[in-house]
Each structure stands twice: as C-alpha cells, then as structure tokens.
Amino acid sequence: MDDRTFRRAMGKFATGVTVVTTEFQGEAKGMTANAFMSVSLDPKLVVVSIGHKARMHDIVKQTGKFAVNILRRDQEELSRLFAGQLKEERPVSFDWVNGHPILPEALANILCNVHSSHVAGDHTLYFGEVTDIFMKDEPGDPLLFFEGKYRSIGQ
C-alpha cells in the first residue's frame, strides 16, 4: 500500500490530543502529539512517539524528561501552535513544576523522566516513568483528532 492509504487508515482511529513539553536551555519547548498511551501501572509508564525529523526528538533525548499535557476541547489553537500550523507566534503561559513546563489549563499534566527509548522506523518511542500528575478539579471534555480533523465528544 502507499503512504497515503496507510495514513488514511490510521486516521480512522480517534485519538486525544496532547502537547509534549520539556525544558531545554532555560526555555519551554513543546510539540503536539496524538501518538500517546499509557503502558504500565507498575512501574507507572507512558509512551510518546516522536518523529526523527521533529525538533523535540533530540531535545527529549538530551533532557531525559518530558511532560504530557492532555488538551481540552477548547485548546485547538494551542495544538495548532505547537504543531507549527499557525503563521504567527503567540505567547504561551506555562506553569513550572519540578523543572517541567506544563500547560496550566490542560485536562491533565503528566510529568515523566525518560525510562527508555526504542527506535521504530522513522520515529522513536520515548517511554516515560511518571513522576507526578496534576489534574483540574472542574470537568472538561478532551480535544480529539479523527480523519485529519479536530473533533470533540458528540461531534
């Protein structure tokens, strides 16, 4: 099959949308990612998949830590910003927790140290050992991605 067919088929799987963040040389860095999942309860592990061409690939490799920020349905603009889809730069407010920049209005912030990594094709799977989790008390719906478009529950 060709690459387009493969991508279209993978787009049939609805995912949540996250922004993976880390601190590098005193600055917050981030990228949008929907290739994220929980892996293990003991130890508590998650995994993010980062393309080798992405700037964040080498940054996470060097820093050895990252945070996964699970976006709310009204945070599509943040997702687009960190995906490089917006033409102009916009300021982003971060909270800082134990050296991790996190997005304060996300549904959840999952702080991790890189546990291990595995090269898989043109991506690296970064397994993160969860060191802390922050969640908002107020309810909220997640931002979703399906068939190449942003969606929300019930849409």
Side-chain angles (χ1 to χ4, degrees):
M1 91 230 42
D2 62 14
D3 290 353
R4 183 180 169 108
T5 300
F6 182 79
R7 289 178 67 106
R8 281 186 53 231
M10 295 305 103
K12 300 293 183 186
F13 183 69
T15 66
V17 181
T18 72
V19 170
V20 176
T21 55
T22 194
E23 177 275 330
F24 183 67
Q25 297 179 345
E27 292 184 20
K29 301 292 183 181
M31 67 167 273
T32 298
N34 65 345
F36 160 75
M37 68 178 199
S38 63
V39 175
S40 169
L41 280 173
D42 188 18
K44 291 173 180 55
L45 298 174
V46 298
V47 65
V48 294
S49 178
I50 301 179
H52 293 161
K53 293 180 181 177
R55 282 179 250 145
M56 281 292 282
H57 179 272
D58 291 338
I59 292 173
V60 170
K61 187 176 185 177
Q62 288 179 47
T63 63
K65 64 182 182 178
F66 61 90
V68 178
N69 302 271
I70 300 174
L71 299 186
R72 289 188 337 255
R73 73 174 174 189
D74 63 348
Q75 292 181 303
E76 180 180 334
E77 185 174 301
L78 265 181
S79 174
R80 289 184 184 280
L81 177 68
F82 284 102
Q85 296 174 345
L86 299 181
K87 299 222 187 290
E88 69 246 11
E89 286 293 315
R90 298 195 177 141
V92 177
S93 296
F94 293 96
D95 284 349
W96 289 81
V97 180
N98 300 325
H100 290 270
I102 61 171
L103 297 170
E105 298 304 318
L107 287 174
N109 313 97
I110 304 163
L111 282 56
C112 304
N113 289 326
V114 174
H115 174 274
S116 58
S117 61
H118 178 78
V119 174
D122 57 3
H123 281 63
T124 297
L125 304 176
Y126 285 101
F127 292 85
E129 185 161 9
V130 178
T131 59
D132 216 337
I133 291 178
F134 299 93
M135 290 185 288
K136 294 290 179 202
D137 289 333
E138 60 268 7
D141 288 335
L143 180 61
L144 303 177
F145 200 71
F146 177 69
E147 292 186 330
K149 297 177 184 169
Y150 290 98
R151 309 285 179 113
S152 59
I153 293 175
Q155 183 186 27

